[in-house]
């Protein structure tokens, strides 16, 4: 049996030993039967370091996970194929996974596309259409850029809802509380509000998208389809749908699907909600997707897809860079843990 060494875990670590034991034939046979039908959808983001250069450790970690996936005989399908099998009322395909990539950055086309194609694994890319169009780069990346470049130790701002807020750069991850504060308030005019953020941080707002945050081109998106991948909509501007008016939410969901059909023939009618937690989209947004030609949608709530899940909010796991975590999410272990947790609660 092929068991790679875990990159992120001390060799002989308790978790690693438990997961390896759990994936040996008899426990796995029993575990899969107890877990029932499930299918993990993985979500990838960027594969660069803070300076925007390819991150070789992360890329190697993905490679190790994909080698394990192939050696163990798992199968990958596109998200569209998953929805089509649901339409045909087929049971969830087993020992199968879906891999998705969010946003549409250049490194995702240049590095992840060829890497996954090498393993014959289709990726479903969710792209922000106004980002690929060069009209904007995501408001949350502006926030990262500001925190990376400001000389200030704290940035006092007035949030779009009128509340005062101080971004404290002495915190270990200062963008997180700021991002959460911005996600939970009015997002209709968030791109105009960024002028205030830049001013408060005493920085010039860049005229063009900085290289680190550069999108893939439309041509690269079309070429990904030729490599066996899929391209799907992820709104026009990455604003948080739950904080938008009805008209703006519709424009984001339906508009991005229409943009994509014009730019990428053969694009895939599936959708991902920006940032994707269950507070980031509402039943209204789910209904806009349901009433459109889109076949279904994914969130970022971490879980495996299980029989009976809402096809307009299927859960996804962040793609781990630790192979032991990957083994756990890929197979029955995480599903069984979830079932045990809900029994105990
Ligand atoms: Zn996104």
């Amino acid at each position: 049996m092929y068991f790679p060494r875990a990159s992120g875990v001390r060799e002989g670590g308790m978790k690693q030993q438990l997961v390896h034991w759990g994936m040996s034939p008899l426990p796995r046979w029993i575990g899969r039967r107890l877990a029932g039908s499930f299918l993990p959808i993985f979500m990838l983001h960027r594969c660069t370091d803070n300076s925007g250069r390819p991150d070789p450790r992360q890329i190697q970690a993905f490679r190790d996970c994909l080698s394990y996936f192939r050696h163990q005989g798992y199968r990958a399908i596109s998200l569209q194929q998953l929805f089509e099998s649901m339409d045909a009322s087929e049971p969830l395909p087993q020992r199968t996974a879906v891999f998705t990539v969010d946003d549409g950055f250049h490194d995702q086309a240049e590095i992840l596309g060829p890497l996954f194609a090498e393993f014959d694994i289709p990726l479903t890319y969710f792209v922000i259409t106004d980002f690929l169009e060069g009209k904007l780069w995501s408001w949350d990346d502006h926030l990262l850029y500001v925190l990376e470049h400001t000389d200030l130790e704290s940035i006092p701002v007035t949030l779009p809802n009128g509340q005062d807020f101080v971004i404290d750069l002495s915190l270990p991850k200062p963008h997180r509380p700021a991002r959460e504060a911005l996600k939970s308030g009015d997002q209709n005019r968030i791109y105009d509000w960024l002028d205030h953020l830049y001013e408060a941080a005493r920085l010039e707002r860049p005229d063009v998208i900085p290289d680190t945050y550069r999108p893939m081109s439309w041509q690269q998106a079309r070429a990904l389809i030729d490599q066996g991948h899929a391209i799907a909509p992820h709104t026009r501007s990455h604003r948080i749908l739950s904080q938008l008016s009805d008209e703006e939410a519709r424009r984001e969901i339906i508009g991005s699907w229409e943009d994509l059909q014009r730019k990428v023939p053969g694009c895939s009618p599936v959708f991902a909600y920006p940032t994707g937690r269950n507070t980031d989209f509402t039943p209204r947004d789910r209904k806009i997707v349901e009433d459109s030609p889109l076949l279904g949608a994914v969130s970022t709530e971490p879980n495996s897809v299980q029989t009976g899940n809402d096809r307009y909010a299927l859960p996804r796991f962040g793609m781990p860079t630790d192979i032991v975590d990957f083994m756990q999410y890929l197979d029955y272990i995480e599903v069984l843990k979830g079932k045990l947790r809900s029994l105990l609660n």
Side-chain angles (χ1 to χ4, degrees):
M1 182 157 291
Y2 172 79
F3 279 142
R5 287 169 59 151
S7 41
V9 175
R10 181 166 52 87
E11 191 159 12
M14 177 77 97
K15 179 174 154 189
Q16 184 179 353
Q17 284 182 5
L18 270 174
V19 170
H20 279 186
W21 174 81
M23 290 304 290
S24 56
L26 184 62
R28 188 175 64 190
W29 186 85
I30 297 169
R32 283 183 180 161
R33 267 142 200 85
L34 290 173
S37 291
F38 63 89
L39 182 149
I41 305 177
F42 290 101
M43 164 182 58
L44 292 99
H45 196 229
R46 306 204 62 184
C47 49
T48 50
D49 59 21
N50 286 344
S51 56
R53 280 189 290 270
D55 180 350
R57 282 186 56 168
Q58 199 182 349
I59 295 163
Q60 185 57 47
F62 289 154
R63 185 176 281 284
D64 292 345
C65 291
L66 300 184
S67 296
Y68 172 80
F69 185 86
R70 274 285 164 240
H71 272 94
Q72 293 292 312
Y74 291 95
R75 200 166 71 94
I77 58 173
S78 70
L79 188 58
Q80 183 171 348
Q81 285 173 310
L82 173 60
F83 286 121
E84 285 166 354
S85 85
M86 287 177 169
D87 284 339
S89 303
E90 289 165 3
L92 281 174
Q94 292 301 281
R95 308 195 67 194
T96 302
V98 171
F99 293 86
T100 62
V101 184
D102 283 15
D103 296 342
F105 290 97
H106 64 100
D107 51 295
Q108 297 172 332
E110 290 158 10
I111 299 168
L112 296 179
L115 175 64
F116 278 70
E118 199 185 306
F119 290 89
D120 204 18
I121 295 175
L123 287 167
T124 300
Y125 285 83
F126 290 108
V127 302
I128 305 162
T129 55
D130 276 357
F131 179 40
L132 266 67
E133 198 60 39
K135 289 183 184 166
L136 55 79
W137 44 299
S138 184
W139 62 272
D140 37 337
D141 289 324
H142 279 275
L143 178 64
L144 287 174
Y145 175 90
V146 163
L147 299 189
E148 182 88 358
H149 289 86
T150 188
D151 291 328
L152 302 181
E153 283 166 12
S154 67
I155 310 172
V157 292
T158 306
L159 297 173
N161 64 6
Q163 264 183 353
D164 289 331
F165 185 88
V166 177
I167 304 174
D168 180 357
L169 279 92
S170 66
L171 295 174
K173 293 188 188 290
H175 69 281
R176 287 204 177 156
R179 186 168 176 262
E180 287 310 307
L182 289 167
K183 271 176 64 174
S184 60
D186 181 9
Q187 285 248 326
N188 283 290
R189 300 184 62 79
I190 187 79
Y191 283 94
D192 294 338
W193 178 84
L194 291 171
D195 283 339
H196 164 64
L197 175 65
Y198 277 98
E199 201 176 311
R202 298 188 200 141
L203 288 171
E204 288 279 329
R205 184 170 174 163
D207 295 332
V208 291
I209 303 175
D211 201 52
T212 312
Y213 299 101
R214 184 163 48 85
M216 66 175 77
S217 66
W218 285 118
Q219 196 180 358
Q220 283 177 312
R222 290 187 285 268
L224 286 168
I225 293 190
D226 298 334
Q227 285 176 32
H229 303 305
I231 306 288
H234 186 41
T235 70
R236 280 179 165 164
S237 73
H238 214 246
R239 288 178 296 171
I240 305 301
L241 294 169
S242 60
Q243 306 301 336
L244 294 180
S245 67
D246 293 355
E247 193 189 340
E248 287 296 304
R250 173 169 293 280
R251 230 201 296 265
E252 290 287 343
I253 298 169
I254 306 298
S256 64
W257 169 234
E258 288 171 353
D259 293 344
L260 207 55
Q261 286 175 286
R262 278 192 295 274
K263 291 290 188 178
V264 182
C267 57
S268 197
V270 296
F271 185 76
Y273 303 101
T275 72
R277 290 299 175 145
N278 54 26
T279 47
D280 301 334
F281 59 99
T282 63
R284 173 202 65 187
D285 307 313
R286 185 202 167 284
K287 185 88 172 75
I288 296 173
V289 179
E290 187 180 2
D291 292 345
S292 77
L294 297 161
L295 302 177
V298 288
S299 73
T300 61
E301 290 295 333
N303 210 340
S304 262
V305 177
Q306 292 172 62
T307 309
N309 279 172
D310 177 8
R311 68 186 286 159
Y312 296 101
L314 294 183
R316 289 188 290 174
F317 289 119
M319 174 79 179
T321 49
D322 176 333
I323 192 146
V324 174
D325 288 339
F326 180 67
M327 291 161 72
Q328 188 172 327
Y329 296 155
L330 179 61
D331 217 297
Y332 75 93
I333 297 175
E334 194 63 22
V335 178
L336 206 53
K337 272 172 66 185
K339 290 199 166 181
L340 286 173
R341 266 195 302 266
S342 59
L343 272 178
L344 294 172
N345 283 336

